[in-house]
Amino acid sequence: MEETEKAERKKVILSGIQPTGVFTLGNYIGAVKNWGKMQDEYHCAYFIADLHSLTIRQDPAALRRQSLDAFALLLACGIDPEKSLVFIQSHVPTHSELSWVLSCYTQFGELSRMTQFKDKSARHADNVNAGLFTYPALMAADILLYQADMVPVGDDQRQHLEFTRDIATRFNNLYGSTFKLPEAYIPKAGARVMSLQEPTKKMSKSDENQNAFITILDEPNVIINKFKRAVTDSEKEVRFSEGKDGINNLMTIYSVFTGKTMEQIEAEFEGKGYGDFKLAVGEVVVEEPREVRENFKRYIADKAYLEQVYRAGAEKAAAISARTMTKVKKKVGLLASL
């Protein structure tokens, strides 16, 4: 009984991952690395946000492949379907259903002020569609359906989380307590990983320069070569200091994987050149995600197992989200379905 009560007190954390590519080293360090541990501390829900990806024109065959790859990668990173809720967004109709209801409680002006809408509209001027505009309402539905306590968000998503809280508050004020107000989840420890080619900007998988980022599925020789090509400076001393953005970035990465302080790293590489240091960083980065790479190859080769897991996940997600959706329908005056 005591164990059950303890489990019931666990907070809910929800994350949506778009099926547009594999996690970068920055994603791994900032979030993925701790996912396995989080499952014991929280009720975790992870989903592949394939509906969100439709705001940009997709190749259908590529989207299906990328969605399955992304699902397999979640499992490869340690997400246990027995501990966490893991599913594909489009398999759970309540996401689209609640999105429509929330859109009807969202003001045009609120959506037009969203920074991401402005940015994506500028980048895809030939396809400024209504889905891109109402994207935040679908994201709010994703979160509110599961009564999430916390949502891991980067700087580019904070505005969307605030929007979600605003809409939930508006709905609650009109109809009484319906939605839990989610908070931003900030990891206890993390590091900002920068581009290997432009170390003043964040590492991103959308970077046109393939040498600028590392993905956790990169083969060992690819990882080593990318670190060898990493931009540094004209000095030779491995030292964490202002103006040494490239070296600072590499030291940060090395520190995360080895647990060593900057002072210890400086002492370890005293008298050695950047070549030795870049190789050492590459080697530690190769080693830790090795299990993820091996797990991914195993999962993606077993399509039947993946289908079994995502179908079971969709059933669980549908049952959980239906409780919220039923409450919403009743409060806004929709007749109960048979």
Side-chain angles (χ1 to χ4, degrees):
M1 180 66 180
E2 202 171 304
E3 285 297 316
T4 303
E5 289 177 357
K6 186 177 179 181
E8 289 173 353
R9 288 199 296 271
K10 285 183 179 179
K11 291 189 175 181
V12 176
I13 290 185
L14 179 136
S15 291
I17 295 94
Q18 286 215 34
T20 52
V22 300
F23 304 124
T24 67
L25 185 64
N27 300 139
Y28 181 76
I29 288 174
V32 180
K33 195 170 183 284
N34 296 315
W35 281 354
K37 301 172 186 174
M38 286 171 58
Q39 293 176 115
D40 295 324
E41 189 176 349
Y42 302 101
H43 287 303
C44 298
Y46 299 97
F47 67 94
I48 305 304
D50 54 345
L51 291 176
H52 285 293
S53 68
L54 297 180
T55 59
I56 298 171
R57 292 286 177 265
Q58 302 285 342
D59 174 78
L63 179 58
R64 283 190 288 271
R65 185 183 67 253
Q66 290 170 354
S67 296
L68 196 61
D69 283 353
F71 192 83
L73 189 54
L74 283 177
L75 302 186
C77 289
I79 301 306
D80 183 349
E82 298 298 320
K83 292 181 178 180
S84 297
L85 177 64
V86 54
F87 62 97
I88 296 173
Q89 183 188 33
S90 63
H91 294 179
V92 187
T94 45
H95 286 250
S96 299
E97 200 173 5
L98 182 57
S99 175
W100 170 251
V101 175
L102 296 181
S103 292
C104 296
Y105 289 82
T106 300
Q107 300 303 302
F108 185 91
E110 290 176 307
L111 294 174
S112 63
R113 287 192 294 272
M114 302 302 286
T115 302
Q116 198 167 88
F117 171 70
K118 296 175 183 177
D119 292 344
K120 287 193 174 181
S121 297
R123 292 202 306 271
H124 304 279
D126 59 335
N127 185 28
V128 185
N129 56 72
L132 185 62
F133 190 64
T134 59
Y135 179 104
L138 178 55
M139 182 177 284
D142 297 334
I143 298 167
L144 299 177
L145 274 171
Y146 302 93
Q147 304 293 346
D149 294 285
M150 293 178 286
V151 182
V153 291
D155 292 337
D156 59 338
Q157 296 293 346
R158 287 184 181 275
Q159 190 181 32
H160 283 162
L161 184 60
E162 286 306 313
F163 169 87
T164 299
R165 289 174 56 85
D166 289 345
I167 298 306
T169 299
R170 180 177 302 151
F171 196 95
N172 288 347
N173 287 342
L174 285 168
Y175 299 108
S177 179
T178 308
F179 300 120
K180 187 173 288 184
L181 299 186
E183 302 284 347
Y185 173 75
I186 309 298
K188 295 176 183 177
R192 187 176 174 85
V193 178
M194 313 304 283
S195 162
L196 298 182
Q197 294 299 308
E198 296 180 67
T200 56
K201 74 176 188 180
K202 187 179 177 182
M203 182 180 285
S204 171
K205 63 189 174 189
S206 61
D207 199 310
E208 293 181 0
N209 187 341
Q210 295 293 305
N211 288 316
F213 61 92
I214 302 284
T215 80
I216 60 174
L217 294 183
D218 279 344
E219 291 297 330
N221 64 311
V222 173
I223 294 173
I224 295 294
N225 287 332
K226 285 184 178 182
F227 275 110
K228 284 181 177 179
R229 299 186 190 110
V231 169
T232 50
D233 53 60
S234 58
E235 298 180 12
K236 301 296 181 185
E237 188 181 5
V238 177
R239 176 172 49 85
F240 196 91
S241 176
E242 186 176 350
K244 292 171 68 69
D245 299 312
I247 285 295
N248 292 349
N249 186 37
L250 296 182
M251 290 180 71
T252 298
I253 294 169
Y254 193 71
S255 173
V256 168
F257 284 100
T258 63
K260 295 180 179 180
T261 65
M262 296 305 169
E263 292 77 13
Q264 289 172 326
I265 296 170
E266 289 173 357
E268 180 182 354
F269 291 93
E270 186 176 359
K272 297 180 181 178
Y274 286 172
D276 290 335
F277 181 53
K278 288 181 180 182
L279 180 59
V281 178
E283 287 174 345
V284 296
V285 171
V286 162
E287 197 51 42
E288 184 162 325
R290 186 184 298 277
E291 187 177 357
V292 174
R293 293 193 296 272
E294 292 172 353
N295 287 343
F296 175 78
K297 289 176 183 177
R298 187 175 74 254
Y299 284 126
I300 203 62
D302 192 347
K303 302 294 193 296
Y305 174 74
L306 291 176
E307 182 176 349
Q308 175 188 329
V309 174
Y310 68 61
R311 285 185 182 276
E315 288 181 13
K316 290 180 186 176
I320 294 169
S321 60
R323 295 199 287 267
T324 298
M325 198 65 230
T326 299
K327 188 187 296 185
V328 168
K329 285 180 176 180
K330 182 177 181 180
K331 293 203 172 189
V332 300
L334 299 176
L335 282 173
S337 59
L338 297 176

